[in-house]
Amino acid sequence: MRTLSKWQTTVFLLGGLLMVVGAGISLLKFSIAPYIYGLGAIGFASMQMLQRYEGTSITIRRLRRIMLLSDALFLVTGILMFASLGNSFGLSQITYVQYIYNKWIGTLLLAAVLQLYATHRIDSELNKEAKKR
């Protein structure tokens, strides 16, 4: 995997921290929470998308696609957080907004589980590759 530069790593870690803070204070019904989470999700996902795998392992490529799906789910979670607020960005015009309320928790959980799985497996596969050399 291509490593990130120092400032990219900082944006990546800060994005992850903002996601945790945004999701946490969202449960307390603070209206600024989706903005904090959204900013963090954009930073986290964009920096993770910059990491590229230049090897030939099919397994790592598959895991990388799972990780990108997880990033997309993190971004969808931000949209659902805005929708659960009500009239943010006109999302209250969606017919099923009352059913969306707190559905972001499910997408966040799914994204986190996929992220943990892919990260752990990519690390073990990269270690296997390094031992072969």
Side-chain angles (χ1 to χ4, degrees), residues 60 120-133:
I60 295 177
H120 174 70
R121 284 293 316 275
I122 286 174
D123 185 46
S124 69
E125 291 294 324
L126 288 174
N127 287 338
K128 283 181 191 178
E129 270 189 10
K131 287 180 183 179
K132 286 182 183 179
R133 293 180 193 169

Side-chain angles (χ1 to χ4, degrees), residues 5-117:
S5 69
K6 194 171 219 169
W7 73 270
Q8 289 172 329
T9 303
T10 303
V11 171
F12 178 74
L13 294 174
L14 186 62
L17 180 66
L18 287 175
M19 287 171 57
V20 170
V21 169
I25 65 172
S26 179
L27 296 174
L28 300 173
K29 306 287 188 221
F30 287 115
S31 61
I32 195 162
Y35 297 98
I36 294 171
Y37 177 86
L39 183 65
I42 290 169
F44 181 85
S46 63
M47 291 303 116
Q48 198 165 48
M49 289 177 189
L50 286 177
Q51 285 182 318
R52 301 224 183 259
Y53 175 68
E54 283 122 15
T56 59
S57 172
I58 296 171
T59 304
I60 295 177
R61 289 183 185 273
R62 176 185 57 86
L63 291 166
R64 180 84 178 111
R65 284 192 297 270
I66 291 172
M67 190 177 281
L68 293 176
L69 172 65
S70 173
D71 290 336
L73 286 172
F74 281 135
L75 296 173
V76 167
T77 299
I79 293 169
L80 291 176
M81 285 176 81
F82 279 109
S84 71
L85 274 183
N87 199 16
S88 297
F89 300 119
L91 292 174
S92 66
Q93 304 304 318
I94 300 172
T95 307
Y96 299 107
V97 159
Q98 64 270 22
Y99 300 113
I100 292 176
Y101 187 73
N102 282 344
K103 299 296 186 211
W104 62 268
I105 296 171
T107 59
L108 179 61
L109 179 64
L110 179 60
V113 168
L114 289 174
Q115 188 75 222
L116 286 172
Y117 170 74

